[in-house]
Every structure is written in C-alpha cells, then in structure tokens.
Amino acid sequence: MTFPMRTLLSVSLAAALAGCSLAPTYERPDAPVDAAYPTGPSYQAAQPADAGGLMTADIGWRDFFGSDPLLQQLIEQSLANNRDLRVAALNVEAARAQYRIQRADLMPSVGIAGQETAQRSPADLSPSGRATTSHSYQVGAAMSAWELDLFGRIRSLSDKALESYLALDETRTATQLTLIAEVANAYLTLRADQELLSLTRDTLKSQQDSFKLTQQSYDQGLSTALDLSQAEVSLRTAERNQSQYTRQAAQDRNALVLLVGQPLSPEITAALDNAVKLDDAMLPTTMPAGLPSDLLARRPDIRAAEHQLKGANANIGAARAAFFPTISLTGSAGTASASLGGLFEGGSGAWSFVPQITVPIFAGGSLLAGLDLAKVQKNIQVAQYEKSIQTGFREVADALAGRGTLDEQIQAQQLLVAANQRAYDASDQRFRQGIDDYLSVLDSQRSLYTAQQALVDTRRARLSNLVTLYKVLGGGWTERTATAQAQQQ
C-alpha cells in the first residue's frame, strides 16, 4: 500500500531538484576607479611584489609587527578577547544556522504521527435514529505541506541566505583587520604621548631652572618684571602640558585595554611603562600596493559588499517565481482502525496523498511591487558595492601619499628642530652675556619645544600611516605570511 506513496515522493523530489532558477545571471559591475593608483610628487615609485608574487595582503600580522614582541602580545590578546570581534564571529554562526534553515525547505519534512478521532452524532442526525459515538485511530508517517521548487523560489531564497552568510564571514575578517590596526595605532599613540610627556618633563625642568635664574636676576635688579612674568608664563605652560600629556597617556592606555578586551597583565603594564620612545624602524616600509583591481580579491569589505549584491540578485529570482503556480504536497502512510487494538492487524494499512496547486490571479499588485522592490534593492547593492571599491581606492591612495611625503616631512622637521636648538643656544648665550633680554630666550625655547612636539607627532603619523596602508591593502587576515606557513609545514 505504501508503494504509490514512495513513487509519488520520488517523482516529486526529482522534479523539485530539477527546478529552474529565475534569478538573473550575475555579472560583476565594472570597478568605478582608475586602473592604477595616482602618481606624482606625493607618491613613491610603485613597489612590485617579490619574486614569489607576495603582496601586502599575504603578509601575516605577526611578521608585519615582528620587531615589537609587546605589540604582538597585545594583538594576540585582542583577537582572543575583543568583544566587537566576538560579536562579528557570532553573527557568522547565526547566519550559517539561518542558511541551513532556509536550505532545509528544499527537502520534505517527514515525521511519525499518531491520531485519535472521537465523534458523537445526535439521534436526529444518526441513520439509526439513536445517538452514536465513533472512534478512529491512525499511526504512520506523515509529510507536511512540501512545496515543489519548480521555479526556483526556495532555491533563490537559499542562495540569498548563503550570500548573507558569506558576507558576514567577510565582515568578520574586515573587523579583524580593523581591530589589528586599531590596536597598533592605540599602541603608537600611547608611546608617542609618553614620549611627549618625557619631553615635557625635561622642558619643565629647564623652565624651572630658567624661572629660578630670572627670579635671582630680578631680585638683583638685573632683570625686569616683564622678564620674570614671561619666565613664569613659560613655566606654567610647561606645567599645564605635563598634566595634559599625563592625562592623555592614561586615556590612551584605557583605550588600549578596551581594544584588548581584558585587563593588562603586570608584565605588559611594566613593559608599556618602559616604552617611552617611538621606534622609527619598528615597521616595514616595503609594501607592494599592486593594482586597484587587486582590491576586489584582497579587501574583505569589498568581498562582503559583492556577496550582498549576489544575494540581492538571487532575491530577484524569488520575486519572479512568486508569479508562477505553487505546488505543495501533503501525504501520509501507515495504519488505521476503528479500535486501538486493530491498528496493526492485517488489512489496516491506509495512505493519503493531497497535492495542491495555487495559481496567483489577483494579489492587488503586491507581486509586481515585490519584484520592483527586489530590483531596487539590487540597484542599491550595486551602488554600495561600487562605493566600497571607491572607498578602498581612496584609502590606499591616501596611505600611499602619506608614505611618499611623511619621510621628507620628518627630515624637514628634524632640521627645524636642529635650527631651533641652535637659535635657543645662541639666544641663551647672548642673554648670559648681557647682550639681549630674556624675552628672546623664552621665544627661542617655546619655538624649540613646539618643533620637538611636532617632530614626535609626525613620527607617530608616519608609523600610523604604515599601519593604515597595511590594513587598507588587505593585510592582517592571517597570522603568518603564506610562504612562512609553507616553510613551517
């Protein structure tokens, strides 16, 4: 008795699996950027990949930050404990489960069902003229309403769920790249502010000595009240800057703790206390940029945008399929009897098969509006995909401009510091010889301090720009460089 049911199920399953798809053929939009990065005075000559074809995105973060073990520890802990990255990973797990749920709709849902039906008929409705009570029992396999995916509606929805999952997985990778860059920049900012704090302390000591000297000169009638007031202004300014950089260093450390995702160990805290000077050679400067077309494959945010575009493309297929008939199957096969004890006696087999077809005739324009909505959503995703490419191009171009100019800016700033140092030494000597008043000394000292501050900030900007260039070229998705991993294996 179950043979017809098996036959119909087999035929239906084959028809569903052979269903067509009404989704448009996906075509990647052309990249709306130039074929090469900008050139000119702001940019260095292009750096090709090495002999093995290694690009910046292939450099593992542990190798990129290989000269600073302390920063490596901070990045390692952040990847294990940062809550934003954890949420991104959980979103991927949720999307994967959602895809499995959507994918399951392609297959029928079959279960074991038991049913009892009890019915009482009053006397005036009973053929015998007496009230009767009847019972029936049934046990067997049952298939709930299963839609045959002849026009690819369910398959299109499944493809959309898959693309959403893949997009979130790429977003998780992009979050990791951003996190690594943020930890590195927070670390550089902390070290720069600590160096500025150290510089301010030295300047404060010099200002205190100058103020004492000016006070003595004033008491002896060798300096004016204006000289003493100017010396005090410089002293109070240095005291204010010391409080400012002390606060900034504390806030920098708090920001670093948030990114790491857990309290810093005493060993790391002690190491950070000792890291009071930026290391200008801590990061590699040779990072091949490749071509803008490489960003399509190496930037996870761009890959995520393309997966969202593919999902919107698949959604059009589901909207188109809604215009066609829907065929669903409901069936059961098992045993039935009027008594509970007769369920498994001979001749009690029973089965039912209920196919149903629904043909849309009038839906108030909702189906057409649904298709229009799907097409508009795809156009939105196209624009967002193109914008992600343009954003990536701009970020790389900006970082390349920084790499091409910051070294020269540092050299010029170093010369400026040296010139201000000579001016300060000369003005101090002329003051001690009684040739000039103390105002020229104070002006030279302020100019020297400002130039020294600018030099520290420019050196930090250079290192931060290298970190940014590494990130925007797609670096940071792997711990070790691909060639290094092959050698370890």
Side-chain angles (χ1 to χ4, degrees):
M1 292 184 182
T2 59
F3 177 76
M5 184 65 175
R6 290 199 303 268
T7 302
L8 289 172
L9 281 175
S10 300
V11 173
S12 301
L13 180 60
L17 294 178
C20 62
S21 174
L22 299 179
T25 302
Y26 173 73
E27 295 182 1
R28 174 184 287 177
D30 295 332
V33 293
D34 291 333
Y37 292 114
T39 58
S42 300
Y43 304 92
Q44 294 178 352
Q47 296 177 333
D50 63 10
L54 186 67
M55 297 296 293
T56 299
D58 300 322
I59 302 175
W61 62 261
R62 217 175 259 285
D63 297 309
F64 184 77
F65 301 104
S67 63
D68 197 322
L70 176 56
L71 179 53
Q72 286 186 353
Q73 284 183 279
L74 293 170
I75 292 175
E76 182 179 6
Q77 292 184 9
S78 69
L79 292 177
N81 300 292
N82 182 268
R83 298 312 189 268
D84 289 336
L85 186 59
R86 189 173 297 178
V87 169
L90 291 174
N91 285 336
V92 173
E93 295 297 323
R96 178 160 50 190
Q98 185 61 45
Y99 165 66
R100 291 166 57 194
I101 293 172
Q102 188 66 58
R103 181 72 177 175
D105 288 343
L106 288 170
M107 304 300 294
S109 177
V110 180
I112 301 296
Q115 178 181 334
E116 175 192 5
T117 302
Q119 181 177 355
R120 181 185 183 279
S121 299
D124 58 347
L125 295 180
S126 174
S128 62
R130 294 179 298 175
T132 60
T133 301
S134 61
H135 296 268
S136 64
Y137 302 88
Q138 184 173 352
V139 175
M143 180 182 68
S144 58
W146 172 42
E147 180 181 342
L148 294 180
D149 195 30
L150 298 180
F151 302 101
R153 188 186 72 86
I154 298 177
R155 189 177 300 278
S156 294
L157 293 176
S158 177
D159 291 342
K160 183 179 185 299
L162 175 60
E163 296 298 338
S164 296
Y165 157 64
L166 295 175
L168 282 174
D169 191 39
E170 295 293 353
T171 300
R172 185 207 62 79
T173 303
T175 303
Q176 175 177 318
L177 269 60
T178 300
L179 174 61
I180 291 174
E182 287 181 346
V183 171
N185 282 322
Y187 175 74
L188 294 173
T189 300
L190 173 60
R191 292 191 62 168
D193 284 341
Q194 290 182 155
E195 184 171 348
L196 287 170
L197 178 58
S198 177
L199 173 64
T200 301
R201 285 171 178 165
D202 294 339
T203 302
L204 176 59
K205 185 178 182 304
S206 175
Q207 297 288 3
Q208 289 171 340
D209 294 339
S210 297
F211 180 73
K212 291 178 181 179
L213 178 61
T214 307
Q215 180 72 58
Q216 293 173 359
S217 299
Y218 176 75
D219 294 339
Q220 297 173 3
L222 301 176
S223 299
T224 65
L226 178 60
D227 292 335
L228 182 61
S229 298
Q230 291 289 350
E232 185 176 4
V233 168
S234 296
L235 173 62
R236 303 313 174 198
T237 301
E239 290 175 341
R240 181 203 64 188
N241 290 343
Q242 178 175 257
S243 299
Q244 175 185 344
Y245 288 126
T246 300
R247 179 180 66 254
Q248 287 183 193
Q251 292 174 344
D252 294 340
R253 188 165 302 202
N254 293 337
L256 193 56
V257 171
L258 177 61
L259 290 171
V260 170
Q262 67 176 17
L264 302 179
S265 66
E267 294 78 12
I268 292 181
T269 300
L272 286 175
D273 291 337
N274 295 326
V276 295
K277 186 174 177 58
L278 287 171
D279 180 6
D280 294 329
M282 65 178 293
L283 298 177
T285 58
T286 302
M287 284 183 281
L291 297 174
S293 58
D294 296 329
L295 293 179
L296 305 184
R298 298 179 182 276
R299 287 268 302 225
D301 57 331
I302 295 179
R303 295 199 299 265
E306 184 171 15
H307 283 304
Q308 293 288 6
L309 173 56
K310 290 180 179 179
N313 190 72
N315 199 41
I316 293 179
R320 287 176 173 174
F323 287 87
F324 292 85
T326 300
I327 301 175
S328 60
L329 306 178
T330 301
S332 64
T335 177
S337 175
S339 63
L340 187 62
L343 278 177
F344 301 101
E345 294 180 355
S348 62
W351 62 269
S352 67
F353 180 67
V354 185
Q356 179 179 350
I357 182 170
T358 302
V359 181
I361 297 177
F362 176 75
S366 63
L367 296 180
L368 185 59
L371 179 58
D372 292 340
L373 175 61
K375 291 180 178 178
V376 171
Q377 289 175 334
K378 179 186 176 181
N379 291 334
I380 293 174
Q381 293 300 328
V382 169
Q384 291 179 341
Y385 172 66
E386 293 174 340
K387 177 64 179 298
S388 67
I389 296 175
Q390 292 174 334
T391 300
F393 182 90
R394 182 265 175 96
E395 290 175 345
V396 174
D398 285 350
L400 290 174
R403 186 179 64 176
T405 57
L406 281 168
D407 286 337
E408 295 179 358
Q409 183 177 344
I410 288 175
Q411 293 175 2
Q413 191 66 37
Q414 288 172 336
L415 294 175
L416 181 60
V417 169
N420 277 284
Q421 183 68 57
R422 291 192 299 270
Y424 169 71
D425 293 339
S427 62
D428 183 65
Q429 184 178 6
R430 290 173 63 86
F431 169 73
R432 294 179 185 277
Q433 294 174 353
I435 301 175
D436 287 337
D437 58 17
Y438 195 65
L439 183 58
S440 62
V441 178
L442 294 176
D443 287 340
S444 299
Q445 196 172 46
R446 281 194 294 266
S447 297
L448 173 61
Y449 179 47
T450 301
Q452 290 172 329
Q453 289 176 302
L455 177 59
V456 173
D457 188 64
T458 306
R459 289 168 49 229
R460 181 207 57 79
R462 171 185 169 273
L463 293 173
S464 178
N465 183 75
L466 292 174
V467 172
T468 300
L469 180 58
Y470 176 63
K471 185 199 80 168
V472 298
L473 288 175
W477 66 276
T478 182
E479 182 176 0
R480 293 288 185 183
T481 304
T483 55
Q485 290 177 339
Q487 290 173 359
Q488 290 177 359
Q489 296 174 355

